[in-house]
């Protein structure tokens, strides 16, 4: 598990210093609102944040948990963790900040009305209002129109909530401070719709993101494209094109004055800037009532900021150190006289609230620029990667002064969870071209689970824990401060630079080592159970009433510093027996051991729990973690109890069934087939010309495999030939590539957006009750369409060649019937099946009916392609 590589857009040296110094001064803020990771307009965010140093943030209603995954097999919470990190990687490039609400992405939705069956409207609106009140944007830009034209119910609702929150954030009657985590009222000045849903001729402001920045050495469009390309799980890697590139926004509503009433835009506005008519300079605070000391400091800031800009010399950074130190010192002094600041920045409202946030941003930016100009580097490293909860770890902080003037170390604090630890060592001066090493013991008080997964979801919203208080009100601090400021571990170091005290904050604390093949590797410090206990899967199938004889591996990984003798126990449900209920294993320090149990017996139909735990030193451990690691994002650990749900299914599997399986994306289907007793061999599509496929009854192509694998496209003739020679080919859903000539044996058409059935409980009509797909080896009835998750089918063909036989029909409420859930065609001596049913979601989730139906699909023969379509037999909506 490695930290993400430094991206080209994350500049260092002269480019970083120049950008940082120029960011000292601007005080406007813009909040962009969308529904998912990858909905944001990175061109807009980069142009604002990097081009004009506007404090810019993106609020995504969800973490994208319900999407597909092009880079791995993670879905649901795992995918949400990946896409969260992809957004943070994007923000590190484009300079934006990042917020979320508590909404869980439950999958594609066709309307705002359908979406609101899953998300409580007032709760989501309250989250959006809370973020607005915390961030205090001057301008809000909604990515979507809030109308059916948005094409996705989540998109539509994000546009509706953004507009409603623009008004509601200022309404203390509807949303008193107690309802928004202590955040007081805020009245943004302008509300725009983004380019996604606005034709350029209707735009209020048009701007060229292709403008070249000589300090960064690239245009904002190029940098934005690199930011966009962090969404690799969604296949959004794009070219970084040079040249003119226009973006735009359209004004919809505004407050003509600060705190004034909301007015509708005329539609005729054509402005040079999104801030036209709004004073975003520091002079807007001239009339704010302050103490004499605060007023003096505030009035001096303009000159100090200008002096720092004039002093910038990238070849002699020391020249700008003293001016930046002055800006940082004045920003602190200006805030000291705020009576509301003594209770916390959330207490400051109106113009004073605007000033408080602007000064906080100014101080942060001035500090970042000062540290760079002074040549200060701070490293915080732990002596190991994993630390048991309740244990401590030694952290070494190295302070480097690579500048030309002395700096001083004052004190330091380490933080993880809710524990603070003082760093040892007396205050000391650090001369130029020298360093200081100080150490501290960091107590680890919690696991490093993504914070929003601490508790199980409530329906389709995360159950967020209010561990903190803001202005005396319980608050979810992580939602209020923004995801980019959530830290799993931190070293906070107080330094003296040019007569000014500033804090250098390093997060996360890392374990650092050299790998001969990769060079320097960073792994973030991780809190872990003393013994992490892992079962391989959360869900497994077992045929009901049939003899079970399988092995179960229990992996025990230690975060303890000594050799541990652990007693590992496997608890099995009634009907099963294990060769040894408990075994003792010796686990090396910070190492792991695997215990293999043999499971035998039979189970009745239903869901049964298999539990593992380990005992050592009088402590019982029953949870473990899975790791998520990709080169473009920070590594993640997802913790869960060591429980496998055994889904015992009444399923009949033909003895002749033998599967060759080509993996798709986000594809966990093959392991579930093995659990049902079906022999499965994973094959590489690049090897298709050389493989002997005659030993297989069925060749299965995983979801979106044609999109992800060029070798499969190149060798598709071999796939079709397998059917022509008498085999069965089963292809799971693809996207628009499936309509390309030569992919399927007979043509289909598709629409944009694609046809889907998103209601997981939509009624299913059996068009051909006599179809062998419905009759055997498992007789399919209404029970097999119960308890489906997220959706029925996706990317369904709009029309299809008459060679395809379609035994099923379904549709969402109020829509036309869709017959493309299962399409069967005779091909030569064999059978070709294309299915858009979401087997890739249902089988890993352990839904019984889809497993029975998929076995029938795998066993299809040419008879399944025969038969007319009699009047539909309706399987009622469960």
């Amino acid at each position: 598990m490695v930290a993400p590589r430094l991206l080209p857009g994350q500049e260092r040296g002269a480019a970083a210093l120049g950008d940082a110094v120029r960011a000292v001064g601007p005080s406007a803020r813009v909040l962009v609102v969308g529904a998912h990771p990858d909905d944001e307009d990175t061109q807009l965010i980069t142009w604002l944040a990097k081009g004009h140093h506007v404090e810019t943030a993106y609020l995504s209603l969800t973490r994208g948990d319900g999407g597909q995954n092009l880079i791995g097999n993670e879905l649901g919470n795992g995918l949400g963790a990946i896409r969260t990190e992809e957004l943070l990687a994007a923000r590190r490039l484009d300079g934006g900040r990042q917020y979320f609400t508590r909404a869980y992405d439950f999958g594609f939705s066709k309307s705002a009305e359908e979406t609101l069956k899953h998300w409580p409207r007032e709760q989501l609106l309250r989250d959006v209002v809370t973020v607005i009140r915390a961030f205090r944007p001057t301008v809000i830009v909604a990515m979507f129109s809030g109308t059916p034209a948005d094409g996705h119910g989540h998109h539509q609702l994000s546009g509706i909530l953004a507009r409603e929150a623009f008004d509601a954030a200022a309404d203390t009657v509807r949303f008193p401070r107690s309802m928004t985590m202590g955040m007081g009222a805020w009245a943004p000045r302008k509300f725009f719709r983004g380019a996604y849903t606005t034709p350029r001729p209707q735009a209020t402001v048009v701007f060229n993101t292709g403008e070249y920045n000589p300090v960064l050495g690239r245009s904002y469009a190029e940098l934005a494209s690199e930011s966009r390309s962090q969404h690799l799980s969604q296949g959004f890697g794009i070219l970084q094109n040079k040249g003119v590139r226009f973006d735009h926004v359209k004004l919809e509503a505004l407050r003509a004055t600060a705190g004034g009433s909301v007015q509708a835009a005329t539609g005729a506005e054509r402005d040079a800037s999104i801030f036209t008519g709004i004073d975003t300079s520091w002079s807007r605070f001239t009339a704010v009532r302050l103490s004499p000391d605060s007023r003096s400091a505030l009035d001096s800031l303009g000159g100090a900021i200008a002096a720092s800009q004039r002093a910038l010399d990238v070849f002699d950074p020391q020249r700008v150190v003293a001016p930046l130190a002055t800006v940082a010192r004045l920003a602190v002094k200006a805030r000291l006289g705020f009576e509301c600041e003594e209770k916390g920045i959330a207490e400051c409202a109106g113009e004073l609230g605007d000033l408080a946030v602007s000064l906080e941003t100014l101080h942060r930016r001035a500090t970042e620029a000062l540290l760079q100009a002074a040549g200060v580097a701070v490293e915080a490293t732990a002596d190991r990667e994993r630390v048991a909860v309740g244990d401590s770890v030694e952290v070494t902080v190295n302070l480097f002064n690579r500048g030309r003037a002395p700096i001083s170390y004052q004190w330091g604090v380490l933080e993880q969870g809710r524990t603070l630890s003082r760093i040892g060592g007396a205050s000391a001066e650090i001369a130029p071209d020298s360093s200081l090493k100080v150490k501290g013991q960091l107590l680890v008080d919690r696991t490093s689970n993504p914070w929003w997964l601490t508790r199980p979801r409530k329906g389709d919203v995360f159950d967020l824990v209010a561990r903190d208080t803001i202005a005396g009100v319980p608050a979810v601090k992580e939602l209020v401060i923004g995801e980019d400021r959530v830290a799993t571990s931190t070293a906070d170091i107080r330094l003296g630079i040019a007569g000014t005290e500033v804090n250098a904050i390093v997060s996360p604390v890392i374990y650092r080592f050299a790998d001969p093949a990769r060079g320097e590797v960073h792994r973030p410090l991780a809190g872990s159970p003393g013994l992490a206990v892992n079962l391989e899967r959360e869900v497994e199938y077992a045929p009901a009433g049939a003899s079970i004889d399988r092995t179960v591996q229990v992996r025990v990984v230690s975060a303890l510093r000594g050799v541990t003798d652990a007693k590992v126990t496997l608890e099995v449900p009634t009907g099963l027996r294990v060769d040894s209920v408990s075994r003792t294993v010796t686990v090396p320090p910070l190492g792991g051991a695997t215990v293999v149990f043999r499971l035998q017996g039979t189970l009745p139909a239903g869901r049964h729990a298999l539990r593992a735990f380990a005992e050592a030193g009088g402590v019982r451990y029953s949870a473990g973690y899975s790791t998520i690691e990709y080169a473009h994002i920070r590594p993640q650990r997802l913790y869960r109890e060591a429980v496998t749900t055994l889904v015992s299914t009444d399923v009949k599997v033909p003895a002749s069934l033998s599967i060759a399986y080509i993996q798709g994306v986000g594809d966990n289907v093959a392991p579930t087939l093995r659990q049902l007793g079906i022999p499965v061999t994973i094959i590489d599509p690049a090897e298709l010309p050389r493989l002997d496929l005659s030993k297989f009854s069925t060749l299965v192509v995983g979801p979106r495999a044609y999109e992800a694998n060029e070798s499969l496209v190149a060798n598709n003739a071999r796939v079709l030939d397998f059917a022509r020679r008498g085999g069965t080919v089963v292809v799971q859903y693809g996207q628009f590539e499936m309509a390309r000539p030569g992919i399927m044996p007979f043509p289909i058409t598709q629409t944009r957006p694609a046809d889907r059935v998103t209601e997981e409980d939509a009624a299913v009509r059996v068009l051909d009750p006599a179809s062998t797909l419905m009759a055997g080896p498992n007789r399919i009835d209404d029970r097999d369409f119960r308890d489906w998750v997220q959706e029925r089918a996706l990317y369904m063909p709009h029309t299809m060649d008459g060679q395809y036989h379609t035994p099923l029909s379904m549709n969402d409420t109020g829509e036309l019937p869709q017959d493309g859930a299962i399409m069967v065609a005779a091909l030569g001596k064999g059978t070709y099946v294309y299915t858009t049913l979401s087997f890739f979601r249902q089988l890993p989730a352990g839904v019984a009916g889809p497993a029975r139906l998929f076995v029938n699909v795998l066993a299809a023969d040419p008879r399944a392609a025969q038969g007319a379509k009699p009047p539909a037999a309706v399987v009622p909506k469960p």
Side-chain angles (χ1 to χ4, degrees):
M1 203 162 46
V2 297
R5 65 189 185 279
L6 184 72
L7 298 165
Q10 295 174 255
E11 306 295 350
R12 292 175 287 187
L17 177 62
D19 191 51
V21 172
R22 284 179 169 82
V24 175
S27 60
R29 295 176 295 278
V30 172
L31 180 66
V32 180
V33 182
H36 310 106
D38 72 38
D39 283 346
E40 79 273 27
D41 184 346
T42 56
Q43 304 283 328
L44 171 65
I45 292 173
T46 307
W47 183 76
L48 288 169
K50 290 291 190 180
H52 298 272
H53 302 294
V54 173
E55 186 82 341
T56 309
Y58 175 52
L59 169 60
S60 176
L61 296 190
T62 77
R63 298 173 186 271
D65 330 73
Q68 286 92 47
N69 182 0
L70 279 177
I71 60 174
N73 291 338
E74 298 89 354
L75 297 173
N77 288 340
L79 181 58
I82 290 172
R83 298 186 71 184
T84 295
E85 285 298 320
E86 288 180 335
L87 268 182
L88 292 174
R91 297 296 82 80
R92 288 192 290 271
L93 284 165
D94 59 35
R97 300 200 47 223
Q98 185 60 51
Y99 290 88
F100 293 98
T101 74
R102 70 190 68 218
Y104 174 78
D105 180 355
F106 57 85
F108 188 86
S109 169
K110 293 181 178 177
S111 68
E113 292 74 22
E114 181 188 348
T115 300
L116 288 171
K117 294 177 181 178
H118 296 261
W119 295 343
R121 181 187 182 115
E122 283 299 301
Q123 191 173 44
L124 265 292
L125 176 61
R126 189 163 65 243
D127 281 355
V128 177
V129 169
T130 298
V131 171
I132 290 172
R133 289 180 171 184
F135 184 66
R136 299 177 189 173
T138 315
V139 167
I140 294 175
V141 179
M143 293 311 306
F144 298 102
S145 66
T147 69
D150 294 328
H152 191 316
H154 299 181
H155 294 169
Q156 183 181 354
L157 186 62
S158 75
I160 292 170
L161 293 181
R163 178 64 185 86
E164 193 170 343
F166 176 77
D167 293 353
D171 188 342
T172 57
V173 175
R174 184 175 181 186
F175 290 107
R177 186 189 297 270
S178 61
M179 292 181 65
T180 55
M181 303 185 192
M183 297 291 110
W186 179 251
R189 293 291 301 278
K190 288 186 177 182
F191 181 88
F192 291 88
R193 299 287 181 186
Y196 290 178
T197 56
T198 303
R200 190 190 299 176
Q202 299 177 15
T204 305
V205 183
V206 178
F207 43 91
N208 175 24
T209 65
E211 178 186 351
Y212 178 71
N213 184 314
V215 174
L216 300 177
R218 292 196 287 175
S219 71
Y220 305 118
E222 289 176 88
L223 187 53
S225 296
E226 187 179 357
S227 170
R228 183 73 169 168
S229 294
Q230 300 313 299
H231 297 294
L232 296 181
S233 69
Q234 304 307 296
F236 281 174
I238 58 175
L239 294 173
Q240 299 177 31
N241 292 321
K242 298 175 176 62
V244 173
R245 180 163 182 170
F246 288 109
D247 201 353
H248 62 275
V249 292
K250 179 182 179 181
L251 183 66
E252 184 172 299
L254 70 158
R255 291 179 172 94
T257 60
S261 59
V262 176
Q263 306 170 18
T266 66
E269 294 90 351
R270 297 295 182 269
D271 297 327
S273 164
I274 62 174
F275 301 114
T276 295
I278 304 173
D279 185 0
T280 60
S281 71
W282 288 93
S283 63
R284 72 184 186 274
F285 302 120
T286 302
V288 177
R289 295 180 60 182
L290 300 170
S291 69
D293 285 347
S294 289
R295 172 51 61 189
S296 174
L298 182 61
D299 290 346
S300 300
L301 268 175
I305 292 169
S308 69
Q309 303 283 353
R310 290 193 301 270
L312 174 62
D313 183 344
V314 295
F315 295 103
D316 186 9
Q318 191 63 40
R319 291 184 54 192
V320 78
V321 168
L324 287 171
T326 299
V327 173
R329 187 166 59 250
L330 288 173
V332 171
K333 187 176 180 181
R335 290 174 63 180
L336 288 178
F338 290 20
E339 185 176 330
C340 61
E341 272 278 8
E342 297 175 4
K343 301 178 182 179
I345 199 170
E347 293 278 3
C348 302
E351 290 182 320
L352 201 57
D354 184 9
L355 177 57
V357 174
S358 297
L359 287 171
E360 186 273 333
T361 301
L362 175 64
H363 181 258
R364 170 172 48 83
R365 291 181 172 188
T367 298
E368 291 170 356
L370 176 58
L371 291 168
Q372 289 192 55
V376 174
V378 182
E379 297 175 346
T381 57
D383 61 14
R384 61 190 187 277
E385 176 189 358
R386 290 176 290 107
V387 183
V389 173
D391 196 2
S392 59
V393 61
E394 184 174 79
V395 175
T396 300
V397 177
N398 286 296
L399 308 168
F400 299 91
N401 180 2
R402 300 187 286 186
R404 294 196 290 109
I407 63 173
S408 64
Y409 165 72
Q410 304 294 330
W411 50 260
V413 172
L414 300 171
E415 181 177 2
Q416 197 271 351
R418 305 186 75 80
T419 62
L420 297 174
S421 310
R422 194 83 174 185
I423 296 175
S427 59
E429 182 177 283
I430 308 173
D433 291 322
S434 63
S435 62
L436 176 69
K437 180 184 294 185
V438 292
K439 296 185 177 184
Q441 292 290 322
L442 174 60
L443 177 64
V444 172
D445 75 350
R446 65 183 58 178
T447 62
S448 302
N449 204 30
W451 68 271
W452 64 93
L453 298 178
T454 303
R455 294 163 69 170
R457 290 196 318 271
K458 290 184 176 179
D460 288 318
V461 294
F462 292 108
D463 186 14
L464 304 184
V465 183
R467 292 194 179 97
D468 300 275
T469 58
I470 298 175
V473 177
V476 180
K477 182 182 71 173
E478 295 89 346
L479 188 146
V480 172
I481 66 174
E483 195 72 29
D484 55 301
R485 294 186 178 183
V486 174
T488 56
S489 58
T490 301
D492 186 354
I493 311 299
R494 176 64 64 88
L495 301 172
I497 303 176
T500 297
E501 291 190 343
V502 296
N503 286 49
I505 298 175
V506 179
S507 177
V509 176
I510 62 167
Y511 172 61
R512 177 187 181 201
F513 64 95
D515 183 294
R518 293 181 292 175
E520 182 168 327
V521 177
H522 293 176
R523 303 191 185 212
L525 179 70
S528 171
L531 294 177
V533 182
N534 297 287
L535 286 170
E536 189 174 2
R537 296 183 182 87
E538 291 186 59
V539 178
E540 287 191 11
Y541 283 107
S547 177
I548 296 171
D549 189 348
R550 64 178 64 170
T551 58
V552 175
Q553 293 188 355
V554 181
R555 179 69 177 168
V556 181
V557 179
S558 176
L560 303 173
R561 288 181 277 182
V563 175
T564 304
D565 289 329
K567 179 183 177 183
V568 182
T569 300
L570 186 66
E571 292 183 344
V572 300
T574 302
L576 295 182
R577 62 187 183 279
V578 65
D579 55 347
S580 176
V581 174
S582 299
R583 292 186 187 161
T584 299
V585 62
T586 299
V587 187
L590 305 177
T594 300
V595 181
V596 180
F597 294 92
R598 185 179 181 185
L599 201 62
Q600 293 176 296
T602 59
L603 285 174
R607 300 174 78 87
H608 311 271
L610 191 68
R611 302 177 186 275
F613 60 89
E615 295 171 288
V619 179
R620 175 170 166 153
Y621 302 95
S622 61
Y625 57 83
S626 59
T627 58
I628 296 175
E629 179 186 353
Y630 294 98
H632 66 302
I633 59 175
R634 298 179 301 185
Q636 296 286 296
R637 282 182 168 84
L638 271 61
Y639 290 79
R640 68 176 183 89
E641 289 295 303
V643 178
T644 294
T645 299
L646 291 173
V647 181
S648 184
T649 307
D650 184 11
V651 58
K652 297 181 178 66
V653 177
S656 59
L657 204 57
S658 177
I659 306 298
Y661 198 103
I662 297 173
Q663 288 283 135
V665 301
D667 187 359
N668 294 298
V669 170
T672 68
L673 302 182
R674 292 192 181 105
Q675 293 154 20
L676 293 171
I678 303 172
V680 178
T681 301
I682 303 297
I683 64 172
D684 182 349
E687 297 297 317
L688 278 170
R690 292 175 289 278
L691 288 176
D692 177 11
L693 299 176
S694 62
K695 59 184 176 181
F696 301 108
S697 65
T698 308
L699 173 59
V700 180
V701 177
R704 295 176 71 177
Y706 285 98
E707 177 185 2
N709 198 310
E710 292 182 0
S711 295
L712 176 59
V713 176
N715 293 318
N716 191 50
R718 185 82 166 88
V719 174
L720 299 180
D721 187 60
F722 178 80
R724 291 190 178 97
R725 292 175 179 269
T728 297
V729 170
V730 176
V731 178
Q732 297 174 70
Y733 96 98
Q735 294 192 347
F736 301 105
E737 71 279 1
M738 300 307 296
R740 288 169 50 189
I743 297 295
M744 295 178 65
F746 308 107
I748 63 168
T749 66
Q750 292 175 306
T751 59
R752 292 178 184 264
D755 293 329
R756 302 171 181 251
V757 178
T758 62
E759 295 172 8
E760 63 269 27
D761 58 353
V764 177
R765 293 174 296 278
V766 178
L767 300 177
D768 183 4
S771 169
T772 57
L773 288 179
M774 299 295 106
N778 302 287
R779 183 162 294 281
I780 303 301
D781 58 30
D782 64 299
R783 291 170 295 181
D784 294 298
F785 295 101
R786 295 174 184 169
D787 302 320
W788 285 45
V789 296
Q790 187 162 319
E791 61 205 348
R792 290 284 197 207
L794 63 169
Y795 291 91
M796 306 174 80
H798 190 64
T799 64
M800 64 206 73
D801 189 276
Q803 298 281 352
Y804 292 110
H805 181 56
T806 55
L808 296 179
S809 181
M810 58 191 70
N811 56 272
D812 284 330
T813 303
E815 296 191 353
L816 294 173
Q818 301 287 345
D819 297 350
I822 298 178
M823 301 158 45
V824 192
L827 188 59
K829 298 177 181 179
T831 310
Y832 182 93
V833 184
Y834 181 62
T835 176
T836 59
L837 291 172
S838 59
F839 289 115
F840 76 103
R841 291 196 193 279
Q842 311 308 322
L843 299 186
V847 187
R852 289 165 38 83
L853 178 57
F854 198 58
V855 170
N856 285 13
V857 171
L858 297 175
D861 60 28
R863 292 175 299 166
Q866 299 171 2
K869 295 182 180 179
V874 177
V875 176
K877 188 172 182 177

